[in-house]
Amino acid sequence: MANFPSYKPSLVAEAVVAPIANGEVLVATADNRKALVLNESAAVVVSLCNGECSLQEIAEIFVETQDIEIEQAQADVLTLLHKLDSEGLLQEPPPANP
């Protein structure tokens, strides 16, 4: 993650994030052509995809909310970002997994 300090993920402008139940969120494009239902853990990451937090910062916050090591948090964050990107929900694609 330290290799990507300038990458700060941001959802596309037309993305809608709506809470649904049990801490889960729906992330969708405004036209509902692309949508994902994310659990509470992933919702934390999505809430930080604001173009201001770096990958490392997001992983560090994720560690604080989960009982996992930083390496696992980094891998989980990248995996989620790649999923969001594959659904057209990120402005820029994330870096490739190291």
Side-chain angles (χ1 to χ4, degrees), residues 80-94:
L80 176 59
L81 292 176
H82 283 284
K83 180 66 176 167
L84 290 168
D85 185 56
S86 73
E87 295 297 328
L89 295 166
L90 286 182
Q91 287 187 15
E92 294 179 30

Side-chain angles (χ1 to χ4, degrees), residues 1-84:
M1 290 289 169
N3 297 338
F4 310 110
S6 63
Y7 181 73
K8 296 180 178 181
S10 182
L11 297 175
V12 293
E14 62 272 11
V16 175
V17 179
I20 45 179
N22 301 321
E24 293 180 332
V25 296
L26 172 71
V27 182
T29 54
D31 61 6
N32 289 321
R33 293 186 70 200
K34 301 286 185 173
L36 292 173
V37 174
L38 303 174
N39 65 24
E40 187 174 1
S41 300
V44 170
V45 173
V46 168
S47 72
L48 298 168
C49 291
N50 55 18
E52 296 178 15
C53 296
S54 70
L55 286 176
Q56 184 63 32
E57 291 168 327
I58 293 171
E60 289 170 1
I61 292 168
F62 194 59
V63 165
E64 292 174 10
T65 65
Q66 307 299 310
D67 186 23
I68 58 175
E69 298 294 323
I70 188 68
E71 294 82 11
Q72 185 63 52
Q74 292 169 337
D76 290 351
V77 167
L78 264 180
T79 297
L80 176 59
L81 292 176
H82 283 284
K83 180 66 176 167
L84 290 168

